């Protein structure tokens, strides 16, 4: 075959790979980063990550990581994670959530992502159905990777964008998995005790209905942000509320968001041993372990209760300060009759915002027709980057946005609100 023909030849790949769609969030963030590199000042609130200069990892964790490298802790870790880290994770969830799990019911991996993927491909055959709320983070991609089918529940602002038992019930007979996340990325809202109890009860009833040779209905419970709840909000989880669900719930947890440690890559799952063992086998073939020095360090750090509590208290204060200030700023804009609404912050590092000025005209005489026009105007005129909810599965015309405070200084809060007000002020309604 000639070189020319080789160059032109389409290299066919699997249908799964061919049809994989990239992350909308990463695409948007990359565009903004590119503009910032070219010198444009943009308040970039698109990233679900932390600026380590503003939100560094805990000092003691950093010291232990360095120490572990110097101590030559650099060979393969055990496939399910080093025992000391499983003991520490067990201690951490027992102390903070009151949950009792055996050591062999834990699996350590390189963050939450491989554990979510492993849960999907452990539980689901091609064509099996997964129920998940929309907007939510990345379930559409995990559905695609695992060749299963999605049942999306379009959630409502009046429910803080959380799914309800009534919304889930009509689909439950067909499903193998319900993927829940609380606190939720992108909304920063949480499942209330009552709502979660009602969903759990649905699952219990459904599993009682299914015969022993049928696959049961499982819950994937992603609680990556669970340490970050504010004010009166209390994190709740399925097994604490309904212990009889223990055989059917796989928890996803880790350091990434709880300790501002997204680049450290330490996550853990806990759940029924039979499922966790399968997940371990799958991930050991992929090699998605958490690096051993980080495991050794996290194992020590999570046992330092006073250090952990004092870190969490400072860290949460800083996050809450930013969320509350943004909320106050957007409320002020709403009171001045600008077309802005905001859901009171409950948890995580996100604020849910509605900005909708479709129908308005810019100072240059351009009509704002679509939500894409709204986003473009916010970015071009107010210099604020937000992630529209369509990036999390909502419709293209959803007027809701995610604002992340992870890279934002207190000055950024004030300046970006002022910048938005100036931009809104230029519009003719
Ligand atoms: C809800 C949720 N779960 C899981 C993850 C993945 O976490 P990790 O970085 O530990 O892979 C993220 C990351 O943004 C997330 O928002």
């Amino acid at each position: 075959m000639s070189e020319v023909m080789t160059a032109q030849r389409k290299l066919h790949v699997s249908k799964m790979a061919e049809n994989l769609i990239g992350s909308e969030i990463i695409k948007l963030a990359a565009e903004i980063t590119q503009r910032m590199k070219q010198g444009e000042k943009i308040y970039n609130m698109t990233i679900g990550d932390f600026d380590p200069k503003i939100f560094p990892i805990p000092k003691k964790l950093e010291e232990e990581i360095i120490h572990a490298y110097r101590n030559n802790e650099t060979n393969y870790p055990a496939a399910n994670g080093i025992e000391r880290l499983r003991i520490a994770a067990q201690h951490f969830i027992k102390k903070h959530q009151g949950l009792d799990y055996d050591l062999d019911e834990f699996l350590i991996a390189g963050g939450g992502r491989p554990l979510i993927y492993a849960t999907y491909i452990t539980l689901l055959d091609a064509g099996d159905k997964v129920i998940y709320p929309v907007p939510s983070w990345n379930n559409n991609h995990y559905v695609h990777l695992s060749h299963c089918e999605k049942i999306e529940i379009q959630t409502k602002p009046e429910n803080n964008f959380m799914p309800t038992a009534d919304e889930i019930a009509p689909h439950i007979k067909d499903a193998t998995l319900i993927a829940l996340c609380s606190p939720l990325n992108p909304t920063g809202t949480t499942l209330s005790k009552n709502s979660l109890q009602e969903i759990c009860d649905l699952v219990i009833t459904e599993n009682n209905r299914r015969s022993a040779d049928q696959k049961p209905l499982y819950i994937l419970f992603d609680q990556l942000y669970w340490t970050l709840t504010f004010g009166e909000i209390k994190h709740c989880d399925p097994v604490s509320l309904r212990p009889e669900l223990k055989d059917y719930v796989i928890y996803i947890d880790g350091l990434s968001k709880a300790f501002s440690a997204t680049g450290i890559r330490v996550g853990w799952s806990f759940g029924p041993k039979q499922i966790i063992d399968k997940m371990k086998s799958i991930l050991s073939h992929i090699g998605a372990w958490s690096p051993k020095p980080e495991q050794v360090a996290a194992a020590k750090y999570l046992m330092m209760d006073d250090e952990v509590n004092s870190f969490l208290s400072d860290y949460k204060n800083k996050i809450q300060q930013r969320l509350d200030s943004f909320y106050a700023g957007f409320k002020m804009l709403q009171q001045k009759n600008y077309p802005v609404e905001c859901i009171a912050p409950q948890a995580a590092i996100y604020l849910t915002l509605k900005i909708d000025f479709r129908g308005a005209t810019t100072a240059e005489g351009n009509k704002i027709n679509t939500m894409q026009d709204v986003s473009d105007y916010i970015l071009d005129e107010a210099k604020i980057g937000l992630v529209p909810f369509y990036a999390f599965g909502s419709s293209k015309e959803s007027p809701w946005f995610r604002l992340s405070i992870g890279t934002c200084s207190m000055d950024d809060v004030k300046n970006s609100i002022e910048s938005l007000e100036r931009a809104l002020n230029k519009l003719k309604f």
Side-chain angles (χ1 to χ4, degrees):
M1 194 179 291
S2 76
E3 276 177 31
V4 174
M5 279 181 75
T6 312
Q8 287 171 344
R9 180 171 184 174
K10 177 170 165 58
L11 297 176
H12 292 282
V13 294
S14 72
K15 288 195 180 59
M16 188 282 288
E18 187 68 49
N19 296 321
L20 198 62
I21 47 165
S23 158
E24 291 282 356
I25 314 163
I26 290 175
K27 209 164 80 191
L28 184 68
E31 276 168 33
I32 293 178
T33 310
Q34 188 56 30
R35 283 170 67 164
M36 288 166 80
K37 271 195 192 139
Q38 284 159 1
E40 204 175 332
K41 167 74 195 160
I42 295 177
Y43 301 101
N44 186 7
M45 319 287 188
T46 60
I47 311 168
D49 194 4
F50 303 93
D51 177 344
K53 292 196 191 72
I54 301 173
F55 292 104
I57 61 169
K59 200 74 201 150
K60 283 279 177 208
L61 178 62
E62 180 194 294
E63 284 167 11
E64 292 296 345
I65 292 172
I66 294 168
H67 184 68
Y69 278 96
R70 296 215 167 119
N71 232 12
N72 300 322
E73 298 277 13
T74 48
N75 56 335
Y76 280 132
N80 53 345
I82 63 165
E83 188 177 25
R84 277 177 291 163
L85 180 52
R86 285 179 291 119
I87 292 172
Q90 183 190 46
H91 166 77
F92 188 63
I93 62 140
K94 169 77 187 156
K95 185 171 169 59
H96 294 274
Q97 288 185 273
L99 286 166
D100 271 311
Y101 277 83
D102 292 340
L103 277 191
D104 56 10
E105 294 175 310
F106 280 87
L107 173 62
I108 310 294
R113 285 172 174 83
L115 294 163
I116 299 174
Y117 177 53
T119 308
Y120 267 75
I121 60 172
T122 298
L123 301 180
L124 300 160
D125 289 301
D128 279 353
K129 296 195 170 67
V130 183
I131 299 175
Y132 61 84
V134 162
S136 67
W137 178 84
N138 272 11
N139 282 300
N140 55 338
H141 299 299
Y142 292 113
V143 161
H144 181 75
L145 289 174
S146 53
H147 306 278
C148 55
E149 284 180 28
K150 61 185 180 185
I151 301 178
E152 292 186 336
I153 307 286
Q154 295 289 336
T155 53
K156 301 189 177 79
E158 56 270 32
N159 298 327
N160 290 329
F161 289 103
M162 281 292 162
T164 65
D166 284 349
E167 290 164 341
I168 292 174
H171 310 286
I172 206 153
K173 288 196 172 52
D174 293 333
T176 305
L177 180 68
I178 303 183
L180 296 175
C181 174
S182 181
L184 181 67
N185 179 7
T187 57
T189 54
T190 53
L191 274 163
S192 69
K193 188 174 167 198
N194 275 350
S195 293
L196 184 55
Q197 255 165 357
E198 285 171 11
I199 295 172
C200 288
D201 290 342
L202 269 185
V203 176
I204 292 169
T205 310
E206 175 59 16
N207 280 338
N208 288 339
R209 192 191 67 84
R210 292 190 188 185
S211 65
D213 53 354
Q214 255 184 309
K215 257 192 208 167
L217 175 60
Y218 294 99
I219 297 178
L220 179 157
F221 193 72
D222 180 342
Q223 58 167 23
L224 232 83
Y225 295 87
W226 73 270
T227 55
L228 307 178
T229 55
F230 304 111
E232 303 288 288
I233 301 295
K234 295 256 177 303
H235 176 65
C236 40
D237 68 274
V239 176
S240 297
L241 295 176
R242 293 288 184 262
E244 62 266 53
L245 274 178
K246 200 169 180 191
D247 279 350
Y248 308 109
V249 181
I250 295 89
Y251 286 82
I252 310 290
D253 204 346
L255 292 187
S256 298
K257 312 288 171 152
F259 292 95
S260 185
T262 48
I264 302 297
R265 311 313 301 153
V266 178
W268 54 85
S269 263
F270 48 100
K273 182 176 175 330
Q274 287 179 60
I275 309 285
I276 290 286
D277 277 348
K278 297 284 182 215
M279 288 167 61
K280 174 186 79 177
S281 303
I282 289 169
L283 288 187
S284 64
H285 292 311
I286 299 175
W289 303 294
S290 171
K292 188 165 175 210
E294 277 76 354
Q295 291 199 38
V296 171
K300 288 200 182 151
Y301 179 71
L302 287 175
M303 298 303 275
M304 300 177 188
D305 292 341
D306 293 344
E307 290 289 338
V308 165
N309 288 338
S310 110
F311 173 83
L312 284 178
S313 151
D314 287 354
Y315 173 55
K316 285 175 63 173
N317 276 342
K318 272 163 73 177
I319 294 173
Q320 190 174 6
Q321 234 185 344
R322 284 160 176 76
L323 290 173
D324 285 349
S325 303
F326 265 123
Y327 181 62
F330 290 122
K331 277 272 152 205
M332 180 270 293
L333 292 181
Q334 188 179 7
Q335 273 151 17
K336 290 185 180 176
N337 285 327
Y338 290 110
V340 175
E341 267 178 56
C342 187
I343 293 183
Q346 294 189 340
I349 55 171
Y350 308 117
L351 206 62
T352 289
L353 271 181
K354 182 178 176 186
I355 310 182
D356 188 1
F357 44 82
R358 282 171 292 185
T361 310
T362 68
E364 293 75 32
N366 300 321
K367 190 93 176 157
I368 304 282
N369 291 316
T370 63
M371 281 312 294
Q372 185 62 53
D373 297 340
V374 172
S375 294
D376 290 347
Y377 185 80
I378 296 170
L379 183 58
D380 295 339
E381 196 62 42
K383 305 289 180 199
I384 298 175
L386 302 170
V387 187
F389 270 16
Y390 81 74
F392 302 98
S394 299
S395 98
K396 275 261 175 196
E397 287 308 306
S398 165
W400 295 90
F401 293 87
R402 179 188 86 174
L403 179 154
S404 167
I405 59 86
T407 56
C408 150
S409 69
M410 285 306 285
D411 281 346
D412 287 342
V413 180
K414 182 172 161 291
N415 295 338
S416 58
I417 295 277
E418 285 171 7
S419 177
L420 182 60
E421 181 166 7
R422 280 194 301 276
L424 293 173
N425 215 11
K426 289 184 190 163
L427 291 170
K428 289 185 211 77
F429 291 94

